[in-house]
Amino acid sequence: MHINLTAVAKANAGFLERVKAASGQDVAQCYQCGKCTAGCPVGYAMDEPPTRIMRLLQLSLKDEVLNSNAIWLCSTCATCTTRCPKDIDIAGVMDSLRIMAKREGRIKAVRSIDLFNDVFLGSVRKYGRVHELGVGMGHNLRTYKPFKDADIGTGLMLKGRMKLLPSKIKGQGEIARIFNEVRKLEEAE
Amino acid sequence: MKYAYYPGCSLHATAREYDQSTREVCSALGIELIEIPDWSCCGATSAHSTSHLLSVALPARNLTLAGKMGLDIAVPCAACYQRLRYAQIELDQNEGVREKVAAVTGTVYENKADVKSLLEVVASLDPEYLKSKIVRPLDGLKAVCYYGCLLVRPPRVTGFDDPEDPQTMDNLMRACGAEALDWGYKTECCGASMGISNEAITLKLVRDILQVAEKAGADCLVAACPLCQSNLDSRQTHINRAFGTGFKMPVLYFTQLIGLALGIEPARLGLKSHFVATAGIVKFAT
Amino acid sequence: MPRIGVFVCWCGSNIGGVIDCPKLAADAGELPGVVLSTEYKYMCSEPGQNSIIQAIRDHRLDRVVVASCSPRLHEETFRKTLARAGLNPYLFEMANIREHCTWVHNKEPEKAQVKSLALVSRAVAKANLLEPLFPSSIPMTKRCLVIGGGIAGIQAALDVADAGHEVILVEKEPTIGGNMVKLDKTFPTLDCSACISTPKMVSVSTHPNITLYTYSEVAGVDGYIGNFEVTIRRKASYVDHSECTGCGDCQTKCPTKVPSEFNLGLSTRKAIYIPFPQAVPNKPVIDAANCRYFTTGKCKVCQKICTTEAIDYEQQDTVITEKVGAIVVATGYQLFDWAAAYGEYGYGRYPDVVTGMHFERLVNAAGPTGGKIQRPSDQSEPKTVVFIKCVGSRDPAKGKEYCSRACCMYTAKHAHQVLEKIPGANVYIFYIDVRTPGKGYEEFYQRTISDGAVYVRGRVSKIYQMGDKLVVRGSDTLLGRPVEVEADMVVLASAMVSSSGIQDVARMVSVQVDKDGWLQEAHPKLRPVETHTGGVFVAGSCQGPKDIPDTVAQASAAAAKVCGLLSREELATDPMISTVNQAICTGCGLCVPACPYQAVELKTITERIPGHAPRERTVADVNSGLCQGCGACNVACRPGAMQVKGFTNDELVAEVDAICL
């Protein structure tokens, strides 16, 4: 099937502008040299490597972008950003795309990563700091792999490097407020 | 020298030895660290993958706490460092974000505390002074310094060293008497952020790093980030199982090696709590 | 017995890295006639040349062989070296052991060693037979002909005229200006094309040193460098331009409308017409093929209206001749006839599929739409415009193999203009590469992207009409996905091809046409405006596709060459030309048609042999001004009377023997 660029541009009008507003980056400037993909440590595992994400964006192919696993596999190492000859913060664009995908409920591609973020931030919200054991176990339980990395966890514990119980900061209320207010403000937008 | 110390969540748990060795080395070198009272998590990758505002607001609280202390911040964790730096720049340059952060934190941010990585702090010492403190030089130790991503990238945010061929850690290792080998994977990503959610990718990335380090002839890897260190150290068994390799590459914090060279007892540097034994490296400190 | 010196050059590692140069020199020392054989790292360098001079003096050398690179590179260099040493510069021979040997045989050094000695032996064999040669001189006519009145011809004519030489400028259209004056704005600075070219057109018409013949064509060129005789046919315009004031009443009243060539058929003109308001000369011509009087015998409206009685239906074509010393060919380009080749783009049957030149007229404030971009079909404003690059360019199957060089930039400019003039317009540009090698060009292209143009990498496979839309079906090779666009208008960047009359012009001035139809320059890098015919120069896109800056630069370069030539009172000719041994010439005349330069003709001589009555005989004669020393006559000559100096039969046979025996 041919992609009808006219129809796509009409259907996804404003998408590119939203990406631009969220990331502060003009992806139209990308001239498809491929340097980002060439240096991407995770590019080999992506369905749409960074260069193609940029191209899909240029054509406003929103579904392809937001449903890709690439935006989730991106490790945000910023190698692409550092080397981009057109000075595009590609990693920053990836951040914005992840946020957009999550808000639209498009998290199927790599659910485990999104889940990790949820569990991680859940811990921060609850205690003010991350309880690493809790995050690891929580993630494992919710991905139905309770014993994944159990050896590493046990090792850490035996070496006294894993706290069994989370420590809560005094200002936990401030943290919870930040989470609540951010959500309110963003929902209002 | 006096700094507000932001250890970050890892240093209170999986990276206790980084915390320990940092405190030991800084005290031996006359760098006073005062832990930021009631500091909170920076939000790390999960925050900036979820909400831009959240990713700035969480560090903002810590920046404000340090600002009240009237001190610059020393951050040992590369991830925390980058997020705090990013927030500092964003709050400083983006008025819209600054206003929103004020709204969600209830506090108006004032740019009073500068964010520095611990590596940067230690490297800012007079090299001659540092050398004068070395009592057990690491003669003959071949080390490859691993900077990873967040310490040097993106340079707009970090900026204290070259993003492609950083030298800060290498110079510190040389000052301690070790040989800092040139190698090609100084700043390649180790995939730590995906260690829990996508181990297959992380294993491949760590395998590549270990392979290049081994080929370079390294006795050990030197790290300046708790996430990199634990990722590179703790996954070697998994890697050997997955790829049929036989890696046994010790991965030490730069603070641990400096500590050894300063003559600090290995036990006080947390050298016993590594996955890959560090005894072979300790021997170099003579 | 000659005393030959052989000098083997290492050319750094180019030769020295492959063969054993000292051994080659030693072996060459054994060749007959060689009294000195030596080698050096860089023979062409100052110390290298000085060592040759010293050796000539020390060893009383009277022939020199240098074994090094191609004579095209350094033959002149070493001839001058000989002259500095007081030797006739033609007592020199070169053995090319680099291009002909070490570069191509660098994987087999032993064989290269053998071959290089064979090549040196050849040179030595010839050197033994070399004779001193002396250039002769011919007078110089200090006038210049420029063929073609586009921007290249205009620039060349003005430059030569400003230098104080007379110029004859011949243009076949009723006005000068060429393609450039049709353009709207020019990339990358967006200055108005007419604004920068019409002042130059006026300068041409008012310059005291320039004689302008418009509506005229060069019909023949005789003679040679410094002494050309040019025949020019002036087409009848049926208007006496010496009487005409250019008031324009005639074209207002003329009843016959025909499609305007200047506006590419996007508007009409009259049968008596001035092509456009700023035309130079600003005087009308009658298009007899469409004129009502000429086709039906009735009308004469223009004659009746003309107050100066300038209309002259009896006017005939006239032929004039001019003598010039140099010729600049500046015949320009035309656009590839895409409609004949591209069925997949509709064979020209969709009115809203136009070329870039049509777009130039559409967007031009002085054009048929007053500068409003409109579809030719319904005069509506297109909202989605597709540009297709490389239509006929880089397409060996349907068009030309080469890149037309200007299209990437003018398409970027067109895209910019659409986005500027039509709010909310969508622009898609299908391309296979974007080439922007010029000052400010890449920046301009990037600016167009910032304007909002969407570049899609991939050739368009098909265009078809669906309702009032043109469906453009292509692919995005960067995505690896087929795509299509519903366009209101499609603009094709069609290839530049050389002007239709180029073959005739090329034949008249004896310049070769290359495989693509462009005029062949003498050397693509080092002699880019000269041709292999002395005194004939090329400027602008008759030599290959070019944009305006390059065209103007080349035109000025050609003018500089012309001025250099015309500044001389007489010309030294290359002595390596044909000569006839009239004693053995049979007068068969086979050499005459063999000569591509018309340099040989037959003449009658009177022989006086003591004891016999004088008798008349026909023999060949070579015009030393025309002869280029190609040797075609030499090959055709059965008795061996024709010899090329410096390449005599004896010398050639000795060379062959040296290699083969």
Side-chain angles (χ1 to χ4, degrees):
Chain A
M1 258 300 275
H2 285 69
I3 304 172
N4 186 320
L5 294 180
T6 330
V8 166
K10 205 173 285 173
N12 297 334
F15 173 58
L16 212 55
E17 286 69 27
R18 286 212 304 283
V19 172
K20 191 172 184 174
S23 64
Q25 304 301 310
D26 180 8
V27 295
Q29 296 300 323
C30 168
Y31 56 25
Q32 294 282 292
C33 70
K35 200 174 183 183
C36 48
T37 300
C40 179
V42 201
Y44 77 96
M46 291 176 170
D47 48 3
E48 308 282 4
T51 316
R52 279 173 54 118
I53 292 287
M54 293 292 118
R55 185 63 191 149
L56 290 164
L57 284 172
Q58 289 176 340
L59 298 179
S60 295
L61 290 162
K62 182 180 169 187
D63 290 343
E64 282 84 344
V65 171
L66 294 186
N67 294 339
S68 72
N69 74 15
I71 59 175
W72 295 100
L73 290 182
C74 166
S75 73
T76 69
C77 74
T79 305
C80 46
T81 299
T82 305
R83 294 182 183 157
C84 175
K86 298 301 295 287
D87 208 13
I88 301 171
D89 179 5
I90 301 155
V93 172
M94 291 294 198
D95 266 353
S96 303
L97 295 174
R98 263 193 300 276
I99 294 168
M100 288 173 111
K102 185 172 170 65
R103 289 199 185 141
E104 294 195 7
R106 304 182 194 232
I107 45 170
K108 291 191 194 93
V110 187
R111 177 142 175 73
S112 63
I113 291 169
D114 177 57
L115 206 67
F116 173 83
N117 292 341
D118 284 353
V119 176
F120 184 99
L121 293 177
S123 182
V124 176
R125 181 193 185 116
K126 201 163 168 191
Y127 308 114
R129 291 179 192 166
V130 166
H131 178 231
E132 290 169 314
L133 179 64
V135 169
M137 300 264 295
H139 181 266
N140 285 358
L141 286 173
R142 289 169 68 178
T143 50
Y144 309 109
K145 292 178 197 153
F147 301 112
K148 188 176 154 292
D149 292 339
D151 52 343
I152 294 178
T154 315
L156 286 168
M157 222 170 315
L158 289 175
K159 291 169 200 297
R161 288 167 58 180
M162 194 66 104
K163 275 198 203 165
L164 284 175
L165 294 172
S167 55
K168 199 185 233 184
I169 66 164
K170 282 189 235 127
Q172 185 272 330
E174 296 168 39
I175 303 297
R177 176 201 147 101
I178 291 175
F179 274 89
N180 289 336
E181 294 296 318
V182 166
R183 166 168 292 185
K184 266 195 243 162
L185 211 128
E186 286 178 346
E187 275 172 1
E189 282 173 2
Chain B
M1 283 174 118
K2 210 170 176 182
Y3 285 92
Y5 181 51
Y6 179 86
C9 305
S10 294
L11 271 79
H12 272 204
T14 49
R16 259 181 49 190
E17 68 280 24
Y18 193 16
D19 188 44
Q20 272 178 312
S21 54
T22 296
R23 290 174 192 274
E24 289 286 347
V25 164
C26 286
S27 123
L29 292 174
I31 302 169
E32 196 182 337
L33 299 177
I34 303 166
E35 187 161 331
I36 299 172
D38 207 40
W39 58 267
S40 49
C41 175
C42 69
T45 309
S46 295
H48 71 79
S49 291
T50 306
S51 157
H52 179 68
L53 180 55
L54 185 64
S55 78
V56 180
L58 288 175
R61 178 178 179 269
N62 298 304
L63 295 172
T64 302
L65 288 174
K68 284 180 186 155
M69 298 164 72
L71 295 174
D72 285 346
I73 314 171
V75 191
C77 168
C80 301
Y81 160 68
Q82 197 230 34
R83 291 324 303 173
L84 291 175
R85 273 291 288 170
Y86 181 85
Q88 187 197 355
I89 292 171
E90 192 73 353
L91 286 165
D92 190 39
Q93 297 177 355
N94 190 332
E95 200 176 336
V97 169
R98 193 159 61 235
E99 280 166 11
K100 281 186 193 168
V101 166
V104 300
T105 59
T107 316
V108 176
Y109 169 79
E110 293 170 63
N111 191 359
K112 282 186 176 166
D114 201 11
V115 180
K116 291 187 182 318
S117 81
L118 179 74
L119 181 62
E120 197 180 355
V121 168
V122 176
S124 70
L125 294 170
D126 178 5
E128 292 309 315
Y129 168 72
L130 179 60
K131 275 185 197 157
S132 73
K133 292 278 187 180
I134 305 291
V135 291
R136 301 172 86 178
L138 306 169
D139 289 334
L141 175 68
K142 291 183 169 135
V144 288
C145 295
Y146 177 75
Y147 296 77
C149 311
L150 306 173
L151 214 47
V152 290
R153 277 195 303 261
R156 176 178 69 84
V157 175
T158 59
F160 74 90
D161 203 344
D162 186 281
E164 301 294 353
D165 186 17
Q167 291 292 341
T168 314
M169 223 190 306
D170 292 64
N171 290 335
L172 285 175
M173 288 304 109
R174 287 185 195 114
C176 293
E179 187 184 344
L181 301 172
D182 190 19
W183 69 310
Y185 265 53
K186 273 185 180 179
T187 61
E188 290 295 314
C189 177
C190 73
S193 67
M194 277 182 287
I196 293 179
S197 55
N198 261 292
E199 201 197 9
I201 290 175
T202 307
L203 290 186
K204 187 242 176 218
L205 299 182
V206 175
R207 191 271 313 259
D208 293 350
I209 293 166
L210 294 172
Q211 213 163 43
V212 177
E214 201 169 81
K215 278 194 183 151
D219 299 318
C220 71
L221 270 155
V222 193
C225 168
L227 307 173
C228 305
Q229 194 280 337
S230 70
N231 197 36
L232 292 165
D233 181 28
S234 71
R235 291 189 196 277
Q236 294 193 25
T237 316
H238 287 203
I239 287 165
N240 291 338
R241 203 185 304 144
F243 298 105
T245 46
F247 292 116
K248 262 190 180 170
M249 175 71 70
V251 185
L252 284 79
Y253 290 104
F254 77 102
T255 45
Q256 292 178 309
L257 285 165
I258 295 175
L260 285 174
L262 292 174
I264 300 167
E265 280 307 303
R268 286 166 55 203
L269 296 167
L271 281 159
K272 295 229 184 315
S273 51
H274 286 235
F275 279 71
V276 178
T278 58
I281 304 304
V282 173
K283 279 186 205 152
F284 279 97
T286 51
Chain C
M1 188 69 183
R3 294 178 61 81
I4 301 172
V6 176
F7 299 86
V8 177
C9 177
W10 289 54
C11 194
S13 61
N14 280 299
I15 297 169
V18 179
I19 62 162
D20 182 347
C21 291
K23 183 173 187 323
L24 177 62
D27 292 346
E30 304 299 317
L31 295 168
V34 176
V35 295
L36 171 78
S37 184
T38 181
E39 34 80 28
Y40 185 68
K41 207 88 184 157
Y42 291 102
M43 224 71 231
C44 59
S45 68
E46 188 65 29
Q49 292 189 49
N50 288 340
S51 76
I52 295 176
I53 294 172
Q54 199 57 44
I56 290 171
R57 290 176 183 151
D58 291 350
H59 298 270
R60 291 179 290 113
L61 303 178
D62 57 13
R63 304 280 191 285
V64 170
V65 170
V66 174
S68 57
C69 53
S70 165
R72 294 191 74 154
L73 197 63
H74 278 314
E75 192 173 53
E76 268 312 302
T77 310
F78 292 119
R79 278 192 181 148
K80 284 181 186 152
T81 309
L82 265 66
R84 278 161 61 201
L87 220 57
N88 181 287
Y90 295 93
L91 294 172
F92 170 74
E93 185 61 19
M94 223 166 156
N96 181 357
I97 58 169
R98 192 179 74 172
E99 285 87 339
H100 286 177
C101 189
T102 55
W103 274 2
V104 281
H105 305 304
N106 59 356
K107 297 275 190 296
E108 34 191 7
E110 294 85 7
K111 289 182 179 172
Q113 187 81 31
V114 176
K115 181 172 173 181
S116 56
L117 181 60
L119 293 172
V120 173
S121 308
R122 173 205 68 72
V124 169
K126 185 178 176 187
N128 270 295
L129 301 174
L130 286 174
E131 295 288 340
L133 300 175
F134 302 93
S136 59
S137 68
I138 46 176
M140 171 61 62
T141 309
K142 298 194 168 203
R143 304 172 88 216
C144 174
L145 168 73
V146 176
I147 308 175
I151 187 61
I154 289 172
Q155 185 68 41
L158 286 173
D159 285 357
V160 174
D162 284 345
H165 305 291
E166 275 185 59
V167 176
I168 319 293
L169 177 59
V170 177
E171 165 59 49
K172 67 178 173 186
E173 300 295 331
T175 175
I176 56 171
N179 284 310
M180 181 177 168
V181 80
K182 295 178 191 167
L183 307 179
D184 181 42
K185 290 180 178 175
T186 53
F187 62 80
T189 43
L190 294 177
D191 30 9
C192 153
S193 187
C195 313
I196 58 176
S197 56
T198 48
K200 279 185 183 287
M201 291 161 62
V202 174
S203 300
V204 164
S205 68
T206 56
H207 203 294
N209 285 342
I210 298 178
T211 307
L212 176 60
Y213 296 123
T214 52
Y215 219 38
S216 304
E217 288 185 74
V218 174
V221 176
D222 285 320
Y224 48 89
I225 181 167
N227 298 279
F228 293 106
E229 190 167 300
V230 184
T231 314
I232 298 161
R233 191 171 65 85
R234 306 203 64 190
K235 289 179 274 189
S237 64
Y238 308 105
V239 180
D240 182 347
H241 284 182
S242 60
E243 296 295 330
C244 171
T245 59
C247 71
D249 286 350
C250 52
Q251 73 174 358
T252 312
K253 297 289 179 196
C254 173
T256 311
K257 281 183 182 175
V258 288
S260 155
E261 292 86 354
F262 190 78
N263 282 328
L264 288 86
L266 292 167
S267 70
T268 56
R269 62 157 170 86
K270 297 293 180 59
I272 182 165
Y273 69 108
I274 298 173
F276 66 104
Q278 293 78 32
V280 169
N282 210 280
K283 309 269 171 84
V285 297
I286 293 177
D287 163 15
N290 288 299
C291 168
R292 187 174 290 179
Y293 170 72
F294 279 103
T295 50
T296 66
K298 290 187 189 122
C299 182
K300 292 195 175 182
V301 167
C302 50
Q303 195 174 50
K304 284 170 205 149
I305 200 106
C306 181
T307 50
T308 60
E309 297 178 359
I311 308 294
D312 174 10
Y313 299 115
E314 306 304 317
Q315 204 180 68
Q316 298 291 318
D317 288 4
T318 53
V319 173
I320 51 173
T321 57
E322 295 277 1
K323 284 187 185 298
V324 294
I327 299 173
V328 176
V329 185
T331 48
Y333 73 93
Q334 63 190 38
L335 289 181
F336 175 72
D337 182 11
W338 70 272
Y342 285 87
E344 62 269 49
Y345 298 167
Y347 284 133
R349 69 182 183 278
Y350 309 131
D352 298 328
V353 178
V354 300
T355 69
M357 191 60 98
H358 287 92
F359 186 87
E360 291 289 344
R361 296 311 302 155
L362 286 174
V363 80
N364 193 313
T369 59
K372 283 173 79 175
I373 303 170
Q374 294 176 347
R375 312 208 300 181
S377 63
D378 59 1
Q379 280 73 53
S380 69
E381 188 176 69
K383 282 288 173 202
T384 299
V385 182
V386 166
F387 291 89
I388 305 178
K389 298 209 269 184
C390 298
V391 177
S393 306
R394 306 176 72 198
D395 186 347
K398 288 204 162 130
K400 303 291 184 179
E401 201 178 349
Y402 54 78
C403 161
S404 291
R405 286 192 64 197
C407 331
C408 280
M409 286 308 298
Y410 75 61
T411 299
K413 187 205 68 169
H414 290 169
H416 165 80
Q417 289 181 303
V418 170
L419 292 165
E420 185 184 56
K421 288 202 168 188
I422 305 176
N426 299 301
V427 169
Y428 296 90
I429 299 168
F430 286 87
Y431 70 100
I432 37 182
D433 289 294
V434 179
R435 295 174 172 180
T436 57
K439 206 170 174 177
Y441 287 13
E442 176 68 15
E443 295 89 327
F444 186 90
Y445 159 47
Q446 294 302 332
R447 175 177 153 189
T448 305
I449 288 174
S450 297
D451 290 342
V454 177
Y455 276 74
V456 184
R457 192 194 177 282
R459 253 190 209 279
V460 167
S461 145
K462 185 183 169 87
I463 303 170
Y464 63 94
Q465 187 92 43
M466 197 168 66
D468 74 336
K469 296 282 182 188
L470 291 158
V471 181
V472 179
R473 185 165 277 186
S475 95
D476 186 323
T477 62
L478 295 170
L479 280 184
R481 299 270 296 273
V483 296
E484 60 186 26
V485 177
E486 290 161 21
D488 300 311
M489 185 161 125
V490 178
V491 182
L492 308 178
S494 41
M496 283 191 202
V497 296
S498 56
S499 298
S500 52
I502 193 79
Q503 296 286 354
D504 297 332
V505 174
R507 202 172 41 250
M508 283 188 280
V509 295
S510 299
V511 172
Q512 277 184 337
V513 169
D514 69 17
K515 67 175 175 45
D516 296 314
W518 307 106
L519 293 181
Q520 183 74 57
E521 68 281 10
H523 189 283
K525 298 178 191 82
L526 303 179
R527 297 174 67 196
V529 299
E530 294 160 83
T531 67
H532 284 298
T533 300
V536 178
F537 304 91
V538 286
S541 52
C542 62
Q543 178 260 343
K546 258 174 218 74
D547 58 15
I548 295 166
D550 285 2
T551 294
V552 172
Q554 202 191 16
S556 286
K561 286 283 170 190
V562 168
C563 292
L565 194 61
L566 300 190
S567 68
R568 283 140 68 169
E569 296 305 319
E570 53 184 25
L571 272 182
T573 59
D574 189 341
M576 296 172 110
I577 56 168
S578 280
T579 171
V580 189
N581 181 351
Q582 290 175 344
I584 57 172
C585 175
T586 61
C588 71
L590 283 177
C591 50
V592 175
C595 177
Y597 303 100
Q598 289 92 46
V600 188
E601 50 192 21
L602 293 177
K603 70 170 184 184
T604 306
I605 56 165
T606 309
E607 263 183 346
R608 293 174 206 282
I609 302 168
H612 296 268
R615 61 168 186 163
E616 293 203 328
R617 202 156 66 81
T618 303
V619 292
D621 187 49
V622 177
N623 182 325
S624 60
L626 288 175
C627 176
Q628 302 291 316
C630 74
C633 56
N634 176 224
V635 177
C637 181
R638 287 194 282 214
M642 279 288 189
Q643 299 272 351
V644 181
K645 285 187 270 184
F647 293 92
T648 64
N649 288 359
D650 288 348
E651 287 166 350
L652 293 171
V653 169
E655 289 176 85
V656 174
D657 284 352
I659 290 179
C660 303
L661 291 185

